Amino acid sequence: MDEALIRRLTPHVLGILVRRGADFAAAEDAVQEALIEAIRSWPADPPRDPKGWLVTVAWRKFLDAARADAARRRREDLVDEEPAPGPAREADDTLRLYFLCAHPSLTPASAVALTLRAVGGLTTRQIAQAYLVPEATMAQRISRAKRTVSGVRLDQPGDVATVLRVLYLVFNEGYSGDVDLAAEAIRLTRQLAAGIDHPEVAGLLALMLLHHARRAARTAPDGSLVPLAEQDRSRWDTAAIAEGVVVLQAALARDRLGEFQAQAAIAALHADAPRAEETDWVQIVEWYDELAALTDNPVVRLNRAVAVGEADGPRAGLAELATLDATLPRYTAASAYLHERAGDTDTAARLYAEAALHAPNLAERNHLTREAARLNTRGRG
């Protein structure tokens, strides 16, 4: 097969799909899939019109993806914004698709990335942000995963741990407000919990319920973010909190601690505090220690540094922060918060403004910009 020809044709095919109405990211994915098909079929059956062949196959791939996305959105429309408590009453094929995309022929990281893109509906950029890697790196990972499964039968479902990771990341994107998928993730996790007796499945369900319970209080009427300490706790969903705590306690009683149970325990301690000042930060730090031992995740250590700042004072938190990589997402925002708590408002204002430049979404950028403006105004006063 003439790879040089393929390289020359790719931008032309991409341009044709965009002119036909496909958005660039979707067109790029479709062209990549068409190229995979070409690599597989052209050596045995080369087309007479390579460009026309690529356009036809890429357009068909785009239409298939668009139909799949529309079907997914229709499923989401059937879900109430606030999921009903209790076990799921009926299942659909979505959860099975999660398992099939988590194919044993893929590494866990590739399986998660592919599932988030193909079934979860997340963009390559959102997935890259979740994994703390460049968008181009994640695009290559997804393309390799597609190539790997293109020639195998999807009749061997993947493992539960991979599916849990996908559901967790889908929920996080929905909870952030970028994509409204939080309720769908809860619905699918309920189905999984009803069918699999596993403490980490229960731990993930508890974590989702406890976070989702705060959803109504997370934004002000103008759409701006409301930090946890400033939220109106009377707006929290007490029924969801109660259910989450019961599910978590049952999971912890199994004495098989996992990362989702540890995260849920932290969320439960926040939910248990009638006021922000009554939060048991010492116990939260202890749970972050457990979580760090389980995952060795740098973001966990970043959150732990903030918790240490609340439990032992901002200087202790800044000392913990200094041991971490300053390029971590939200590192600068955490540093700004701890500097403000320590009374260094000039440094905090500068750091809030710097953090706003690298915020992952508009709501967070606006919040950090307002924090910088608030401290600058106070300093001038």
Side-chain angles (χ1 to χ4, degrees), residues 147-173:
R147 286 196 296 271
T148 299
V149 301
S150 64
V152 301
R153 288 173 57 85
L154 291 178
D155 54 2
Q156 294 178 273
D159 68 335
V160 174
T162 300
V163 173
L164 288 180
R165 176 64 51 192
V166 174
L167 289 169
Y168 174 64
L169 292 174
V170 169
F171 175 82
N172 279 346
E173 286 299 332

PDB file of all heavy atoms in Angstrom, residues 147-173:
ATOM      1  N   ARG A 147      -7.359   0.416  16.326  1.00  0.00           N
ATOM      2  CA  ARG A 147      -6.681  -0.530  15.436  1.00  0.00           C
ATOM      3  C   ARG A 147      -6.608  -1.920  16.065  1.00  0.00           C
ATOM      4  O   ARG A 147      -6.777  -2.934  15.386  1.00  0.00           O
ATOM      5  CB  ARG A 147      -5.266  -0.035  15.102  1.00  0.00           C
ATOM      6  CG  ARG A 147      -5.224   1.130  14.132  1.00  0.00           C
ATOM      7  CD  ARG A 147      -3.835   1.304  13.550  1.00  0.00           C
ATOM      8  NE  ARG A 147      -2.855   1.647  14.562  1.00  0.00           N
ATOM      9  CZ  ARG A 147      -2.577   2.906  14.934  1.00  0.00           C
ATOM     10  NH1 ARG A 147      -3.231   3.919  14.377  1.00  0.00           N
ATOM     11  NH2 ARG A 147      -1.671   3.152  15.844  1.00  0.00           N
ATOM     12  N   THR A 148      -6.372  -1.958  17.372  1.00  0.00           N
ATOM     13  CA  THR A 148      -6.236  -3.244  18.063  1.00  0.00           C
ATOM     14  C   THR A 148      -7.520  -4.049  17.998  1.00  0.00           C
ATOM     15  O   THR A 148      -7.509  -5.255  17.743  1.00  0.00           O
ATOM     16  CB  THR A 148      -5.840  -3.024  19.534  1.00  0.00           C
ATOM     17  OG1 THR A 148      -4.577  -2.341  19.574  1.00  0.00           O
ATOM     18  CG2 THR A 148      -5.712  -4.338  20.284  1.00  0.00           C
ATOM     19  N   VAL A 149      -8.665  -3.373  18.228  1.00  0.00           N
ATOM     20  CA  VAL A 149      -9.925  -4.121  18.284  1.00  0.00           C
ATOM     21  C   VAL A 149     -10.588  -4.246  16.916  1.00  0.00           C
ATOM     22  O   VAL A 149     -11.591  -4.943  16.788  1.00  0.00           O
ATOM     23  CB  VAL A 149     -10.915  -3.471  19.274  1.00  0.00           C
ATOM     24  CG1 VAL A 149     -10.333  -3.421  20.662  1.00  0.00           C
ATOM     25  CG2 VAL A 149     -11.336  -2.067  18.810  1.00  0.00           C
ATOM     26  N   SER A 150     -10.011  -3.599  15.895  1.00  0.00           N
ATOM     27  CA  SER A 150     -10.665  -3.631  14.581  1.00  0.00           C
ATOM     28  C   SER A 150     -10.699  -5.038  13.982  1.00  0.00           C
ATOM     29  O   SER A 150     -11.591  -5.361  13.203  1.00  0.00           O
ATOM     30  CB  SER A 150      -9.973  -2.670  13.615  1.00  0.00           C
ATOM     31  OG  SER A 150      -8.632  -3.078  13.378  1.00  0.00           O
ATOM     32  N   GLY A 151      -9.737  -5.878  14.372  1.00  0.00           N
ATOM     33  CA  GLY A 151      -9.694  -7.211  13.784  1.00  0.00           C
ATOM     34  C   GLY A 151     -10.056  -8.322  14.742  1.00  0.00           C
ATOM     35  O   GLY A 151      -9.797  -9.487  14.438  1.00  0.00           O
ATOM     36  N   VAL A 152     -10.642  -7.989  15.908  1.00  0.00           N
ATOM     37  CA  VAL A 152     -10.981  -9.036  16.874  1.00  0.00           C
ATOM     38  C   VAL A 152     -12.487  -9.039  17.113  1.00  0.00           C
ATOM     39  O   VAL A 152     -13.183  -8.057  16.863  1.00  0.00           O
ATOM     40  CB  VAL A 152     -10.251  -8.815  18.219  1.00  0.00           C
ATOM     41  CG1 VAL A 152      -8.754  -8.816  18.022  1.00  0.00           C
ATOM     42  CG2 VAL A 152     -10.697  -7.513  18.880  1.00  0.00           C
ATOM     43  N   ARG A 153     -12.977 -10.161  17.593  1.00  0.00           N
ATOM     44  CA  ARG A 153     -14.400 -10.278  17.914  1.00  0.00           C
ATOM     45  C   ARG A 153     -14.638  -9.679  19.296  1.00  0.00           C
ATOM     46  O   ARG A 153     -13.948  -9.999  20.255  1.00  0.00           O
ATOM     47  CB  ARG A 153     -14.827 -11.749  17.927  1.00  0.00           C
ATOM     48  CG  ARG A 153     -14.883 -12.384  16.544  1.00  0.00           C
ATOM     49  CD  ARG A 153     -15.150 -13.858  16.664  1.00  0.00           C
ATOM     50  NE  ARG A 153     -16.379 -14.123  17.397  1.00  0.00           N
ATOM     51  CZ  ARG A 153     -17.587 -14.139  16.829  1.00  0.00           C
ATOM     52  NH1 ARG A 153     -17.722 -13.887  15.543  1.00  0.00           N
ATOM     53  NH2 ARG A 153     -18.663 -14.405  17.551  1.00  0.00           N
ATOM     54  N   LEU A 154     -15.632  -8.807  19.396  1.00  0.00           N
ATOM     55  CA  LEU A 154     -15.948  -8.187  20.683  1.00  0.00           C
ATOM     56  C   LEU A 154     -16.923  -9.076  21.459  1.00  0.00           C
ATOM     57  O   LEU A 154     -18.046  -8.694  21.770  1.00  0.00           O
ATOM     58  CB  LEU A 154     -16.542  -6.787  20.461  1.00  0.00           C
ATOM     59  CG  LEU A 154     -15.561  -5.750  19.919  1.00  0.00           C
ATOM     60  CD1 LEU A 154     -16.264  -4.422  19.704  1.00  0.00           C
ATOM     61  CD2 LEU A 154     -14.378  -5.573  20.843  1.00  0.00           C
ATOM     62  N   ASP A 155     -16.472 -10.310  21.750  1.00  0.00           N
ATOM     63  CA  ASP A 155     -17.336 -11.225  22.486  1.00  0.00           C
ATOM     64  C   ASP A 155     -16.716 -11.625  23.825  1.00  0.00           C
ATOM     65  O   ASP A 155     -17.197 -12.525  24.488  1.00  0.00           O
ATOM     66  CB  ASP A 155     -17.625 -12.482  21.652  1.00  0.00           C
ATOM     67  CG  ASP A 155     -16.347 -13.163  21.175  1.00  0.00           C
ATOM     68  OD1 ASP A 155     -15.251 -12.674  21.530  1.00  0.00           O
ATOM     69  OD2 ASP A 155     -16.459 -14.175  20.462  1.00  0.00           O
ATOM     70  N   GLN A 156     -15.624 -10.954  24.196  1.00  0.00           N
ATOM     71  CA  GLN A 156     -15.009 -11.211  25.490  1.00  0.00           C
ATOM     72  C   GLN A 156     -15.067  -9.926  26.307  1.00  0.00           C
ATOM     73  O   GLN A 156     -14.293  -9.002  26.085  1.00  0.00           O
ATOM     74  CB  GLN A 156     -13.548 -11.636  25.314  1.00  0.00           C
ATOM     75  CG  GLN A 156     -13.355 -12.970  24.630  1.00  0.00           C
ATOM     76  CD  GLN A 156     -11.878 -13.253  24.479  1.00  0.00           C
ATOM     77  OE1 GLN A 156     -11.233 -12.853  23.517  1.00  0.00           O
ATOM     78  NE2 GLN A 156     -11.329 -13.952  25.455  1.00  0.00           N
ATOM     79  N   PRO A 157     -15.987  -9.828  27.228  1.00  0.00           N
ATOM     80  CA  PRO A 157     -16.108  -8.580  27.988  1.00  0.00           C
ATOM     81  C   PRO A 157     -14.895  -8.322  28.869  1.00  0.00           C
ATOM     82  O   PRO A 157     -14.230  -9.255  29.328  1.00  0.00           O
ATOM     83  CB  PRO A 157     -17.368  -8.800  28.833  1.00  0.00           C
ATOM     84  CG  PRO A 157     -17.515 -10.282  28.919  1.00  0.00           C
ATOM     85  CD  PRO A 157     -16.989 -10.820  27.623  1.00  0.00           C
ATOM     86  N   GLY A 158     -14.609  -7.048  29.086  1.00  0.00           N
ATOM     87  CA  GLY A 158     -13.483  -6.657  29.918  1.00  0.00           C
ATOM     88  C   GLY A 158     -13.786  -6.795  31.394  1.00  0.00           C
ATOM     89  O   GLY A 158     -14.841  -7.272  31.798  1.00  0.00           O
ATOM     90  N   ASP A 159     -12.821  -6.345  32.225  1.00  0.00           N
ATOM     91  CA  ASP A 159     -12.975  -6.561  33.662  1.00  0.00           C
ATOM     92  C   ASP A 159     -13.720  -5.407  34.317  1.00  0.00           C
ATOM     93  O   ASP A 159     -13.869  -4.318  33.773  1.00  0.00           O
ATOM     94  CB  ASP A 159     -11.607  -6.772  34.317  1.00  0.00           C
ATOM     95  CG  ASP A 159     -10.756  -5.511  34.287  1.00  0.00           C
ATOM     96  OD1 ASP A 159     -10.984  -4.660  33.396  1.00  0.00           O
ATOM     97  OD2 ASP A 159      -9.890  -5.382  35.145  1.00  0.00           O
ATOM     98  N   VAL A 160     -14.198  -5.672  35.523  1.00  0.00           N
ATOM     99  CA  VAL A 160     -15.016  -4.701  36.258  1.00  0.00           C
ATOM    100  C   VAL A 160     -14.215  -3.443  36.579  1.00  0.00           C
ATOM    101  O   VAL A 160     -14.738  -2.322  36.499  1.00  0.00           O
ATOM    102  CB  VAL A 160     -15.554  -5.342  37.555  1.00  0.00           C
ATOM    103  CG1 VAL A 160     -16.287  -4.309  38.406  1.00  0.00           C
ATOM    104  CG2 VAL A 160     -16.476  -6.502  37.228  1.00  0.00           C
ATOM    105  N   ALA A 161     -12.933  -3.608  36.944  1.00  0.00           N
ATOM    106  CA  ALA A 161     -12.129  -2.451  37.345  1.00  0.00           C
ATOM    107  C   ALA A 161     -12.043  -1.417  36.227  1.00  0.00           C
ATOM    108  O   ALA A 161     -12.130  -0.206  36.479  1.00  0.00           O
ATOM    109  CB  ALA A 161     -10.727  -2.903  37.754  1.00  0.00           C
ATOM    110  N   THR A 162     -11.887  -1.868  34.991  1.00  0.00           N
ATOM    111  CA  THR A 162     -11.815  -0.942  33.860  1.00  0.00           C
ATOM    112  C   THR A 162     -13.144  -0.229  33.655  1.00  0.00           C
ATOM    113  O   THR A 162     -13.187   0.986  33.425  1.00  0.00           O
ATOM    114  CB  THR A 162     -11.417  -1.691  32.581  1.00  0.00           C
ATOM    115  OG1 THR A 162     -10.143  -2.309  32.773  1.00  0.00           O
ATOM    116  CG2 THR A 162     -11.329  -0.749  31.392  1.00  0.00           C
ATOM    117  N   VAL A 163     -14.241  -0.971  33.756  1.00  0.00           N
ATOM    118  CA  VAL A 163     -15.561  -0.359  33.581  1.00  0.00           C
ATOM    119  C   VAL A 163     -15.826   0.660  34.688  1.00  0.00           C
ATOM    120  O   VAL A 163     -16.384   1.744  34.441  1.00  0.00           O
ATOM    121  CB  VAL A 163     -16.653  -1.446  33.548  1.00  0.00           C
ATOM    122  CG1 VAL A 163     -18.044  -0.818  33.534  1.00  0.00           C
ATOM    123  CG2 VAL A 163     -16.471  -2.341  32.328  1.00  0.00           C
ATOM    124  N   LEU A 164     -15.427   0.352  35.914  1.00  0.00           N
ATOM    125  CA  LEU A 164     -15.595   1.309  37.014  1.00  0.00           C
ATOM    126  C   LEU A 164     -14.827   2.594  36.731  1.00  0.00           C
ATOM    127  O   LEU A 164     -15.321   3.700  36.994  1.00  0.00           O
ATOM    128  CB  LEU A 164     -15.113   0.697  38.326  1.00  0.00           C
ATOM    129  CG  LEU A 164     -15.978  -0.395  38.954  1.00  0.00           C
ATOM    130  CD1 LEU A 164     -15.346  -0.891  40.251  1.00  0.00           C
ATOM    131  CD2 LEU A 164     -17.387   0.113  39.232  1.00  0.00           C
ATOM    132  N   ARG A 165     -13.610   2.458  36.213  1.00  0.00           N
ATOM    133  CA  ARG A 165     -12.811   3.645  35.900  1.00  0.00           C
ATOM    134  C   ARG A 165     -13.511   4.504  34.857  1.00  0.00           C
ATOM    135  O   ARG A 165     -13.539   5.734  34.961  1.00  0.00           O
ATOM    136  CB  ARG A 165     -11.436   3.194  35.390  1.00  0.00           C
ATOM    137  CG  ARG A 165     -10.508   4.300  34.935  1.00  0.00           C
ATOM    138  CD  ARG A 165     -10.111   5.221  36.043  1.00  0.00           C
ATOM    139  NE  ARG A 165      -9.621   4.496  37.200  1.00  0.00           N
ATOM    140  CZ  ARG A 165      -9.433   5.050  38.382  1.00  0.00           C
ATOM    141  NH1 ARG A 165      -9.700   6.331  38.560  1.00  0.00           N
ATOM    142  NH2 ARG A 165      -8.987   4.327  39.396  1.00  0.00           N
ATOM    143  N   VAL A 166     -14.093   3.870  33.850  1.00  0.00           N
ATOM    144  CA  VAL A 166     -14.812   4.619  32.814  1.00  0.00           C
ATOM    145  C   VAL A 166     -16.012   5.342  33.415  1.00  0.00           C
ATOM    146  O   VAL A 166     -16.225   6.539  33.180  1.00  0.00           O
ATOM    147  CB  VAL A 166     -15.264   3.677  31.683  1.00  0.00           C
ATOM    148  CG1 VAL A 166     -16.128   4.435  30.677  1.00  0.00           C
ATOM    149  CG2 VAL A 166     -14.070   3.086  30.964  1.00  0.00           C
ATOM    150  N   LEU A 167     -16.810   4.638  34.188  1.00  0.00           N
ATOM    151  CA  LEU A 167     -18.002   5.246  34.794  1.00  0.00           C
ATOM    152  C   LEU A 167     -17.609   6.422  35.684  1.00  0.00           C
ATOM    153  O   LEU A 167     -18.287   7.457  35.709  1.00  0.00           O
ATOM    154  CB  LEU A 167     -18.777   4.209  35.600  1.00  0.00           C
ATOM    155  CG  LEU A 167     -19.510   3.146  34.772  1.00  0.00           C
ATOM    156  CD1 LEU A 167     -20.010   2.014  35.670  1.00  0.00           C
ATOM    157  CD2 LEU A 167     -20.677   3.760  34.009  1.00  0.00           C
ATOM    158  N   TYR A 168     -16.516   6.283  36.408  1.00  0.00           N
ATOM    159  CA  TYR A 168     -16.038   7.347  37.292  1.00  0.00           C
ATOM    160  C   TYR A 168     -15.673   8.599  36.489  1.00  0.00           C
ATOM    161  O   TYR A 168     -16.054   9.724  36.848  1.00  0.00           O
ATOM    162  CB  TYR A 168     -14.828   6.826  38.066  1.00  0.00           C
ATOM    163  CG  TYR A 168     -14.119   7.843  38.922  1.00  0.00           C
ATOM    164  CD1 TYR A 168     -14.754   8.438  40.009  1.00  0.00           C
ATOM    165  CD2 TYR A 168     -12.788   8.194  38.665  1.00  0.00           C
ATOM    166  CE1 TYR A 168     -14.092   9.361  40.809  1.00  0.00           C
ATOM    167  CE2 TYR A 168     -12.126   9.104  39.463  1.00  0.00           C
ATOM    168  CZ  TYR A 168     -12.776   9.681  40.532  1.00  0.00           C
ATOM    169  OH  TYR A 168     -12.117  10.594  41.318  1.00  0.00           O
ATOM    170  N   LEU A 169     -14.947   8.403  35.392  1.00  0.00           N
ATOM    171  CA  LEU A 169     -14.541   9.551  34.586  1.00  0.00           C
ATOM    172  C   LEU A 169     -15.729  10.187  33.871  1.00  0.00           C
ATOM    173  O   LEU A 169     -15.799  11.415  33.736  1.00  0.00           O
ATOM    174  CB  LEU A 169     -13.471   9.126  33.582  1.00  0.00           C
ATOM    175  CG  LEU A 169     -12.122   8.727  34.194  1.00  0.00           C
ATOM    176  CD1 LEU A 169     -11.183   8.178  33.138  1.00  0.00           C
ATOM    177  CD2 LEU A 169     -11.471   9.912  34.897  1.00  0.00           C
ATOM    178  N   VAL A 170     -16.679   9.374  33.411  1.00  0.00           N
ATOM    179  CA  VAL A 170     -17.887   9.923  32.795  1.00  0.00           C
ATOM    180  C   VAL A 170     -18.659  10.756  33.814  1.00  0.00           C
ATOM    181  O   VAL A 170     -19.114  11.870  33.526  1.00  0.00           O
ATOM    182  CB  VAL A 170     -18.775   8.803  32.225  1.00  0.00           C
ATOM    183  CG1 VAL A 170     -20.146   9.336  31.828  1.00  0.00           C
ATOM    184  CG2 VAL A 170     -18.107   8.159  31.015  1.00  0.00           C
ATOM    185  N   PHE A 171     -18.790  10.249  35.026  1.00  0.00           N
ATOM    186  CA  PHE A 171     -19.478  11.002  36.074  1.00  0.00           C
ATOM    187  C   PHE A 171     -18.768  12.321  36.361  1.00  0.00           C
ATOM    188  O   PHE A 171     -19.402  13.371  36.501  1.00  0.00           O
ATOM    189  CB  PHE A 171     -19.556  10.176  37.357  1.00  0.00           C
ATOM    190  CG  PHE A 171     -20.155  10.926  38.520  1.00  0.00           C
ATOM    191  CD1 PHE A 171     -21.536  11.026  38.654  1.00  0.00           C
ATOM    192  CD2 PHE A 171     -19.359  11.545  39.458  1.00  0.00           C
ATOM    193  CE1 PHE A 171     -22.098  11.732  39.703  1.00  0.00           C
ATOM    194  CE2 PHE A 171     -19.911  12.246  40.521  1.00  0.00           C
ATOM    195  CZ  PHE A 171     -21.282  12.342  40.642  1.00  0.00           C
ATOM    196  N   ASN A 172     -17.445  12.280  36.449  1.00  0.00           N
ATOM    197  CA  ASN A 172     -16.696  13.507  36.731  1.00  0.00           C
ATOM    198  C   ASN A 172     -16.916  14.561  35.657  1.00  0.00           C
ATOM    199  O   ASN A 172     -17.038  15.751  35.964  1.00  0.00           O
ATOM    200  CB  ASN A 172     -15.203  13.199  36.854  1.00  0.00           C
ATOM    201  CG  ASN A 172     -14.856  12.650  38.220  1.00  0.00           C
ATOM    202  OD1 ASN A 172     -15.654  12.730  39.143  1.00  0.00           O
ATOM    203  ND2 ASN A 172     -13.684  12.066  38.337  1.00  0.00           N
ATOM    204  N   GLU A 173     -16.966  14.156  34.393  1.00  0.00           N
ATOM    205  CA  GLU A 173     -17.223  15.123  33.328  1.00  0.00           C
ATOM    206  C   GLU A 173     -18.629  15.687  33.453  1.00  0.00           C
ATOM    207  O   GLU A 173     -18.855  16.873  33.261  1.00  0.00           O
ATOM    208  CB  GLU A 173     -17.018  14.485  31.957  1.00  0.00           C
ATOM    209  CG  GLU A 173     -15.565  14.254  31.596  1.00  0.00           C
ATOM    210  CD  GLU A 173     -14.766  15.543  31.530  1.00  0.00           C
ATOM    211  OE1 GLU A 173     -15.333  16.606  31.249  1.00  0.00           O
ATOM    212  OE2 GLU A 173     -13.554  15.484  31.797  1.00  0.00           O
TER     213      GLU A 173
END
